Amino acid sequence: MTVSWQPSCPLAHLRTRAQMLAAIRRFFEARDVLEVETPLLCPATGTDPQLDFFSSQFNFPPSRPILFLQTSPEFAMKRLLAAGSGSIYQICKAFRNGEAGRYHNPEFTILEWYQVGYDLRQLMAEVAELLSQLLQPFHASLPTKQISHQQLFLDATGLDPLIFCVSDYQAYASANALPEAFDLCGDDHALWLDFIFSHCVQRMMDKNTIYLLHSYPAIQSSLARLHVDDPRISERFEVFINGVELGNGFYELADPQEQEARFDKEIAYRLSHDLPVVSKDEAFLQALKFGLPDCSGVAIGLDRLLMIALGSESISDVLAFPVRV
């Protein structure tokens, strides 16, 4: 078998990546946000049932512990916030198992940052400003559209995502030739929302527009605060351009009891659905007990952003050496 040794993307795309990374660092330096590094190989990982992970055994006696490649640097960065770091950002690799395709590589690059004292609206405004600056050399000025998840879902499907009636969702799936949803989603509200959103709602977003989709259903937000006036929704937003998800942000949950209860619920779900078992990140929970400052945070997928900037059709067009499957 012949194996290609050459990079998957043009060298010009690597130069564009380097320019984008430099522009990001200038953006945060001007705002006095500290760049940090945290471990990618850790003794614990997230409990979110929607995420699969890579694990490795550390061959160091006597304990020979299992270590995890992080799906996000979030827990370690929040430990820094609790220690008094102030606002911080990080550009790093993240890893997700079981994902490969046009928009997915199991190893990918993210930008994650936390602004102390920011609420969700302030962070959304900063995200829009950063994306506009990064995309300006490639596109005419892109408009920004802020809309609630509930409103966009209603507009696209006629279904209210905050009210779950399985027969209504099944009827919608039948009318839209999506019979596979019946077996995949069962009577799980969160799975139905994810399925219909990815198959129908995302495709109806306006082109060449920065979408800031906020106020997600509470059942889809393991690390965000619930809305003070409506516990059915959470202080979470996502960023989309041309129907492509680029980022996920939270007004960060700081209550250690509530966070641990959510971890326990997700671990129980994993057990009941025969998913890989993980333990709670006790160091992260201890940091929350010490005290997380009031803050909002977001992670942006830089490979996908580079795809948008360059008009690429596949993530492999912007990576030097993607995983080949």
Side-chain angles (χ1 to χ4, degrees), residues 238-250:
E238 287 197 326
V239 188
F240 295 85
I241 299 178
N242 295 338
V244 178
E245 179 196 343
L246 294 177
N248 191 14
F250 302 134

Side-chain angles (χ1 to χ4, degrees), residues 11 145 260 317 319 321:
L11 295 180
K145 185 171 185 177
E260 186 163 20
D317 296 334
L319 299 175
F321 303 110

Side-chain angles (χ1 to χ4, degrees), residues 11-195:
L11 295 180
H13 289 185
L14 299 183
R15 296 188 184 95
T16 301
R17 177 186 288 269
Q19 292 164 1
M20 179 177 288
L21 295 180
I24 290 169
R25 288 188 164 98
R26 289 194 298 270
F27 181 89
F28 287 111
E29 183 179 13
R31 287 158 178 77
D32 197 29
V33 179
L34 178 67
E35 182 173 10
V36 299
E37 290 185 347
T38 58
L40 298 181
L41 199 60
C42 300
T45 190
T47 58
D48 188 341
Q50 305 303 316
L51 297 181
D52 199 357
F53 50 81
F54 291 94
S55 61
S56 178
Q57 184 168 290
F58 182 27
N59 294 323
F60 187 81
S63 60
R64 299 170 66 86
I66 300 297
L67 298 176
F68 300 90
L69 286 171
Q70 296 304 289
T71 58
S72 161
E74 180 168 1
F75 293 169
M77 292 184 75
K78 287 180 177 176
R79 288 166 64 186
L80 290 178
L81 289 164
S85 66
S87 298
I88 54 177
Y89 80 98
Q90 179 168 192
I91 298 169
C92 67
K93 294 294 185 180
F95 304 86
R96 298 199 179 164
N97 209 340
E99 296 186 3
R102 181 181 176 188
Y103 295 110
H104 296 278
N105 191 64
E107 176 186 356
F108 57 100
T109 303
I110 64 171
L111 161 67
E112 187 155 332
W113 80 93
Y114 295 85
Q115 285 283 14
V116 174
Y118 273 36
D119 62 21
L120 212 62
R121 296 286 177 174
Q122 290 171 297
L123 187 61
M124 285 194 289
E126 187 168 69
V127 168
E129 183 179 358
L130 174 61
L131 293 183
S132 295
Q133 287 188 22
L134 295 178
L135 293 173
Q136 192 277 329
F138 308 95
H139 300 274
S141 179
L142 298 184
T144 299
K145 185 171 185 177
Q146 290 194 24
I147 185 172
S148 72
H149 178 279
Q150 181 186 28
Q151 190 60 58
L152 184 65
F153 207 95
L154 272 168
D155 291 346
T157 68
L159 297 169
D160 187 338
L162 301 182
I163 301 173
F164 184 55
C165 175
V166 67
S167 60
D168 289 345
Y169 282 68
Q170 290 173 338
Y172 179 86
S174 296
N176 288 273
L178 297 169
E180 65 271 27
F182 287 72
D183 291 332
L184 288 172
C185 303
D187 60 357
D188 189 310
H189 187 189
L191 289 180
W192 274 105
L193 291 180
D194 281 338
F195 184 90

Side-chain angles (χ1 to χ4, degrees), residues 262-292:
R262 294 189 194 183
F263 282 164
D264 288 339
K265 183 177 180 180
E266 290 177 342
I267 289 170
Y269 183 96
R270 281 180 169 275
L271 288 171
S272 66
H273 289 77
D274 296 322
L275 296 173
V277 178
V278 294
S279 300
K280 292 173 284 192
D281 189 327
E282 296 293 346
F284 168 57
L285 290 172
Q286 287 298 318
L288 291 186
K289 290 174 183 177
F290 181 82
L292 184 72

